[in-house]
Amino acid sequence: MTGSLFKGNFWTSDILSTIGYDSIVQHLNNGRKNCKEFEDFLKERASIEEKYGKDLLSLARKKPCGQSETNTLKRALEVFKQQVDNVAQSHIYLAQTLREEARKMEEFREKQKSQQKKTELIMDAAHKQKSLQFKKTMDAKKNYEQKCRDKDEAEQAVHRSANMANPKQQEKLFVKLATSKTAVEDSDKLYMLQINTLDRVRNEWQSEHIKACEVFEAQECERINFFRNALWLHMNQLSQQCVTSDEMYEKVRKSLEMCSIEKDIEYFVNQRGTGQTPPAPIMYENFYCPQKNAAPGKATGPNSARRGPLPNPKSLPDDPDYSLLDNNYSLVYQ
């Protein structure tokens, strides 16, 4: 900390002016305003992190994501869902951390405001006393100067009446001159007294001004340091959040490295396989010459194949199974 810049650079030649002091106070007020803005920024960032965390948590716990997968890929997806859940939780925790940092900033800001107020009360009193004493001094000076002019006029009147024949008139002028001289002496003493008092008050004000500058400069150094550290810490927290998330995502990557395409295919075959023998070819079967031992998969039944040609009769024409129509044999179905 410098400790001497403020007290050496905020003076003015006008004894009634407070522009230097006011400039410092305004700077401190702006500094606290900046702290308040960062505090509000942290609170809003915390709300964003919390909402993101809760939305991500809801997504991880409620939204299906490859729920019918099996074996190694299923295990990788389970790790994925769990780590997304963990990332969501870490964002919610970050929101709580940011609110805590905002609370610390608020406490620091209020502490500095209280400290500044104490110094301002002392300086306000010093400024008021200085202004009041300056007015008294200027009034005493004005009165003193008027008494001096009155005395000068009385002396001139006495000189003008030197040749006057009226002694009473001359005596009256001498009395007035004596009175004016006494008034000058009294006003001069009062003026000197007020000057001395003003000098004492000015020295006291100057001493308080120096103290206030030292206090305010120390406060400003503390504020800048605190604000800088708070911002630095905020960056560290955000970086740590990225590192934490990446560590969780790395676990997912590790689980994906353990995923085996061959094992998942083999697992599916073992769990869901229906057999190793395909169906046999469908064989032709003559409706009139059925095969007793049809091959597997062979269709049977009267309508399962196209009818063959009409067979030649093997029995005699007088066979009862045949009848003669127009000298032609016809098969009669029974």
Side-chain angles (χ1 to χ4, degrees), residues 139-157:
D139 289 344
K141 179 184 179 181
K142 183 178 179 180
N143 181 63
Y144 163 72
E145 290 174 345
Q146 183 60 47
K147 296 304 180 183
C148 288
R149 284 191 289 268
D150 292 345
K151 182 181 77 69
D152 291 344
E153 290 177 1
E155 287 178 343
Q156 292 174 7

Side-chain angles (χ1 to χ4, degrees), residues 208-275:
E208 292 299 334
H209 178 81
I210 292 173
K211 291 178 182 178
C213 286
E214 291 174 342
V215 170
F216 287 161
E217 185 168 350
Q219 274 193 246
E220 182 61 2
C221 289
E222 182 185 21
R223 186 195 69 82
I224 293 174
N225 185 60
F226 187 88
F227 199 164
R228 172 186 174 276
N229 290 342
L231 190 56
W232 190 288
L233 177 62
H234 182 54
M235 294 300 98
N236 286 345
Q237 290 167 340
L238 298 183
S239 295
Q240 183 59 49
Q241 175 62 40
C242 294
V243 171
T244 300
S245 297
D246 188 64
E247 289 175 350
M248 295 173 180
Y249 295 144
E250 181 63 20
K251 293 180 180 179
V252 179
R253 288 190 286 267
K254 291 292 185 182
S255 68
L256 289 172
E257 290 176 355
M258 301 300 294
C259 181
S260 171
I261 299 175
E262 293 78 8
K263 289 182 179 180
D264 284 6
I265 294 296
E266 183 180 351
Y267 180 86
F268 171 72
V269 170
N270 292 336
Q271 294 294 318
R272 301 294 182 179
T274 57

Side-chain angles (χ1 to χ4, degrees), residues 280-281 283-286 289-300:
M283 305 300 294
Y284 167 77
E285 180 181 0
N286 190 288
C289 302
Q291 299 179 9
K292 295 182 178 180
N293 297 322
K298 182 179 180 181
T300 59

Side-chain angles (χ1 to χ4, degrees), residues 40 51 69 84 112 119 141 186 201 203 246 294 306:
D40 293 340
K51 183 179 185 302
E69 286 294 343
V84 172
Q112 284 220 321
T119 303
K141 179 184 179 181
D186 292 343
V201 170
N203 286 330
D246 188 64
R306 182 175 58 87

Side-chain angles (χ1 to χ4, degrees), residues 42-312:
L42 289 176
K43 290 179 179 178
E44 189 165 344
R45 178 64 186 265
S47 298
I48 293 172
E49 291 289 342
E50 183 177 52
K51 183 179 185 302
Y52 174 72
K54 289 182 177 179
D55 289 347
L56 192 59
L57 195 65
S58 177
L59 177 67
R61 295 182 177 181
K62 297 180 181 179
K63 185 69 175 178
C65 183
Q67 60 182 352
S68 64
E69 286 294 343
T70 60
N71 207 33
T72 62
L73 184 55
K74 177 181 181 180
R75 288 194 292 270
L77 284 169
E78 289 172 350
V79 174
F80 164 71
K81 293 290 289 293
Q82 181 58 54
Q83 294 310 314
V84 172
D85 188 294
N86 292 342
V87 170
Q89 296 282 8
S90 68
H91 279 279
I92 295 173
Y93 177 77
L94 176 61
Q96 297 172 350
T97 303
L98 295 181
R99 287 195 177 95
E100 178 62 20
E101 294 305 315
R103 184 190 63 78
K104 291 179 182 179
M105 178 62 76
E106 181 181 11
E107 289 180 351
F108 174 79
R109 182 171 52 81
E110 290 300 323
K111 183 190 74 171
Q112 284 220 321
K113 181 179 179 181
S114 177
Q115 292 174 343
Q116 181 179 333
K117 188 65 177 177
K118 293 177 182 178
T119 303
E120 285 183 352
L121 290 174
I122 296 174
M123 288 302 297
D124 288 346
H127 288 149
K128 184 177 181 180
Q129 185 179 15
K130 181 186 65 171
S131 298
L132 181 61
Q133 185 56 42
F134 179 81
K135 183 178 184 303
K136 288 181 179 181
T137 302
M138 293 301 101
D139 289 344
K141 179 184 179 181
K142 183 178 179 180
N143 181 63
Y144 163 72
E145 290 174 345
Q146 183 60 47
K147 296 304 180 183
C148 288
R149 284 191 289 268
D150 292 345
K151 182 181 77 69
D152 291 344
E153 290 177 1
E155 287 178 343
Q156 292 174 7
V158 169
H159 289 309
R160 287 194 300 268
S161 66
N163 299 323
M164 290 179 61
N166 190 340
K168 288 185 178 181
Q169 187 67 27
Q170 285 185 333
E171 182 180 359
K172 191 174 181 180
L173 291 174
F174 277 110
V175 170
K176 185 177 181 180
L177 177 59
T179 302
S180 63
K181 288 182 178 180
T182 301
V184 167
E185 292 175 356
D186 292 343
S187 63
D188 181 66
K189 290 179 181 179
L190 179 60
Y191 179 35
M192 287 297 297
L193 177 63
Q194 296 298 340
I195 284 290
N196 291 333
T197 303
L198 178 60
D199 191 56
R200 176 180 59 81
V201 170
R202 183 188 63 81
N203 286 330
E204 291 175 354
W205 161 78
Q206 184 171 315
S207 177
E208 292 299 334
H209 178 81
I210 292 173
K211 291 178 182 178
C213 286
E214 291 174 342
V215 170
F216 287 161
E217 185 168 350
Q219 274 193 246
E220 182 61 2
C221 289
E222 182 185 21
R223 186 195 69 82
I224 293 174
N225 185 60
F226 187 88
F227 199 164
R228 172 186 174 276
N229 290 342
L231 190 56
W232 190 288
L233 177 62
H234 182 54
M235 294 300 98
N236 286 345
Q237 290 167 340
L238 298 183
S239 295
Q240 183 59 49
Q241 175 62 40
C242 294
V243 171
T244 300
S245 297
D246 188 64
E247 289 175 350
M248 295 173 180
Y249 295 144
E250 181 63 20
K251 293 180 180 179
V252 179
R253 288 190 286 267
K254 291 292 185 182
S255 68
L256 289 172
E257 290 176 355
M258 301 300 294
C259 181
S260 171
I261 299 175
E262 293 78 8
K263 289 182 179 180
D264 284 6
I265 294 296
E266 183 180 351
Y267 180 86
F268 171 72
V269 170
N270 292 336
Q271 294 294 318
R272 301 294 182 179
T274 57
Q276 297 180 346
T277 303
I282 304 298
M283 305 300 294
Y284 167 77
E285 180 181 0
N286 190 288
F287 180 82
Y288 299 100
C289 302
Q291 299 179 9
K292 295 182 178 180
N293 297 322
K298 182 179 180 181
T300 59
N303 297 321
S304 61
R306 182 175 58 87
R307 289 187 178 183
L310 184 66
N312 294 321

